[in-house]
Amino acid sequence: MPPRKKRTYATENEPETSSKRLCSKKSADSGFSVKRCTTWFNNYCAENDGSIGPDGIERFCKDLGVEPENIIMLVLAYRMDAKDMGYFTLNEWIKGMTYLQCDCIEKLNNKFDLLNASLSDPVTFKNVYRFAFDFSLENGNRSLDKPTAIALMTLLLDGRWSLFNEFVQFLEQSKFRGINKDQWYNVYEFSRHILPDLSNYDEDGAWPVLLDEFVEWYQQHLSKTSEVGVSI
């Protein structure tokens, strides 16, 4: 998950009992327990807030062996239906971990292949992509700022869209300061349905101006590239 700078908390005290010690062999081999899952949550929870904050997320990621920006964390947040990037409430934690049937680190580590594989399902990937927009919004904002939008797109579309690098290059030099929800959703649809050579792009379609201008920019970019090739 890209870093959130919305709120700050005092550094959480390191608990005496580590999450890895909570995940005993008996726990790992037994069925899912809400009580054990709650104890696991409390191991990362900020005492003054009742939720897992940025410091707790960082320790949670360290125990999992992943970076906070790893797409696994976004999929977890989606399964929790988390509302605020960088924070997990107990209800969100229980919802997500119940779905995954995980009440300790070892069980969750064993679900990594499943979580990654779930992104191969078009419906799940689309849902995660759409979830990422609202999840990443600052309070009161209706658009993602450009750096956040690019960071999220990199997480979700890099390697999954052949024109991704060109689109980011366009976005970085464009007049657009951010991405709204309609634009975010349409970038996904464009990446899935428009061919790399843009041959099936309909300029009279209902695409947002952002994508019309990308197509115009990309065609000019190709034309310049061809001219350079001919001159050489």
Side-chain angles (χ1 to χ4, degrees):
M1 299 183 292
R4 169 69 83 207
K5 298 181 179 179
K6 181 163 51 177
R7 293 184 287 179
T8 58
Y9 281 81
T11 302
E12 299 166 30
N13 294 326
E14 187 74 25
E16 293 182 1
T17 304
S18 74
S19 60
K20 291 186 177 181
R21 285 175 59 191
L22 285 173
C23 195
S24 64
K25 186 177 186 303
K26 181 178 179 181
S27 298
D29 293 340
S30 63
F32 176 78
S33 164
V34 172
K35 181 179 179 180
R36 194 159 52 236
C37 191
T38 302
T39 301
W40 185 27
F41 171 88
N42 289 335
N43 195 50
Y44 302 109
C45 180
E47 294 180 3
N48 61 337
D49 184 54
S51 66
I52 298 176
D55 293 318
I57 294 289
E58 185 176 348
R59 290 191 287 108
F60 175 53
C61 290
K62 183 177 180 180
D63 286 346
L64 280 176
V66 301
E67 294 295 325
E69 296 80 12
N70 192 297
I71 199 168
I72 284 286
M73 294 302 297
L74 183 60
V75 179
L76 276 177
Y78 163 71
R79 290 303 179 189
M80 293 182 190
D81 195 21
K83 304 302 182 187
D84 196 0
M85 182 180 286
Y87 299 85
F88 293 147
T89 67
L90 177 59
N91 286 340
E92 291 168 349
W93 181 271
I94 294 297
K95 178 178 181 177
M97 297 306 177
T98 299
Y99 174 85
L100 294 168
Q101 291 293 285
C102 295
D103 52 22
C104 68
I105 282 289
E106 185 174 345
K107 287 182 180 180
L108 188 53
N109 278 138
N110 290 337
K111 295 285 186 176
F112 274 19
D113 287 344
L114 176 66
L115 291 169
N116 276 316
S118 70
L119 293 171
S120 298
D121 174 61
V123 174
T124 299
F125 183 83
K126 183 175 182 177
N127 289 339
V128 171
Y129 180 90
R130 290 191 166 199
F131 164 82
F133 181 87
D134 289 323
F135 181 56
S136 304
L137 281 178
E138 296 277 1
N139 278 344
N141 289 353
R142 300 178 66 180
S143 299
L144 296 175
D145 62 75
K146 191 182 294 188
T148 299
I150 290 175
L152 277 177
M153 285 183 182
T154 301
L155 190 66
L156 290 158
L157 296 179
D158 190 12
R160 293 183 172 91
W161 180 23
S162 60
L163 295 179
F164 171 75
N165 290 332
E166 288 79 5
F167 182 75
V168 169
Q169 186 180 348
F170 156 77
L171 194 58
E172 288 176 335
Q173 58 82 54
S174 74
K175 65 184 179 183
F176 297 95
R177 295 183 178 180
I179 301 289
N180 63 35
K181 182 178 284 191
D182 179 64
Q183 292 167 335
W184 180 261
Y185 283 12
N186 273 281
V187 166
Y188 170 83
E189 298 300 333
F190 188 99
S191 74
R192 288 296 175 268
H193 300 296
I194 301 302
L195 297 173
D197 63 1
L198 306 180
S199 59
N200 64 334
Y201 179 79
D202 181 5
E203 62 183 13
D204 295 321
W207 298 107
V209 173
L210 170 73
L211 290 168
D212 287 334
E213 292 194 5
F214 166 63
V215 169
E216 182 180 356
W217 174 89
Y218 183 61
Q219 289 173 336
Q220 291 175 353
H221 174 73
L222 287 180
S223 178
K224 291 179 181 177
T225 302
S226 298
E227 290 175 2
V228 171
V230 170
S231 65
I232 292 174

